[in-house]
Amino acid sequence: MARNSPPTGGPRHVAIIMDGNGRWAQARGRPRLFGHHAGARRVRDIVSACPELGVDYLTIFAFSTENWKRTQTEVSGLMALFRRYIIKEMQEFVKENVRVRFIGDRRRLDRSLQDLMDEAETMTSHCTRLNLTIALNYGGRDEVARATKRLAQDVALGRLDPDAVDEETLPKYLDTCVLPDPDLVIRTSGEARISNFLLWQSAYSEYEFVDTLWPDFTKDIFTDVLRSYGARERRFGAVIG
């Protein structure tokens, strides 16, 4: 089997916690934002690799609700990077037939960034080769809290019977309501925690914690991780065999 051929039984939806940009830069004597720029370039490589590897949905964790605690310099630099990234990449995503969506609470983001996000979603709404979801100002607990609030409002307005609320109801109110749950969640940089990412959606996801820092996460490493996933037996709580 060729190294970069589609893995047998590979995941349809992959979610990635792209960790290690700052440490990658500091190891080279550079500011943390240098690492974030390198990480953004790596996103393009992984996005391009997904269709040929059988991945239909890619969700990436770009900025969490907790990341506001970082220095003002880093936060401002990241927001500027997100704006430049959207402007620079959207035409390429249209060309490559990649549909872009954003999840997270947009209300805290600058209006110009919100407008770019809206424009990107509109520009790529017809694309079908890959579904790229970017989590920006996203937190799993925050998402569930916002979803629960919307659900409660529908109950209060009589649009939803409270007795009909079950575990199939809440996902309809989540940011990811139009997406399948991730089959595989990857975290780079050697950290072994999920950091408030897709808490509801990843209840039965497989996890892979990779030592590689995100800017060094190549297509070959990605392919190996997908191939490892294909060798796993997913039971979803049942006993097989």
Side-chain angles (χ1 to χ4, degrees), residues 6 21 40 44 80 90 97 102 108 127 139 142 144-145 164 179 181-182 191 217 219 221 227 238:
N21 292 332
R44 171 183 276 199
M90 283 313 106
N97 201 15
F102 294 90
R108 190 172 178 179
C127 298
D142 175 73
V144 171
L179 304 174
D181 289 343
E191 301 290 349
F217 189 79
K219 176 182 177 181
I221 296 173
R227 188 159 290 124

Side-chain angles (χ1 to χ4, degrees), residues 32-51:
R32 290 176 58 85
L33 281 171
F34 179 77
H36 293 307
H37 282 270
R41 291 191 294 272
R42 183 59 63 194
V43 169
R44 171 183 276 199
D45 295 339
I46 298 304
V47 167
S48 296
C50 279

Side-chain angles (χ1 to χ4, degrees), residues 182-202:
D183 303 297
L184 173 66
V185 180
I186 301 169
R187 182 175 186 141
T188 60
S189 88
E191 301 290 349
R193 57 181 179 272
I194 60 176
S195 294
N196 198 20
F197 184 49
L198 301 178
L199 298 181
W200 180 280
Q201 300 88 336
S202 61

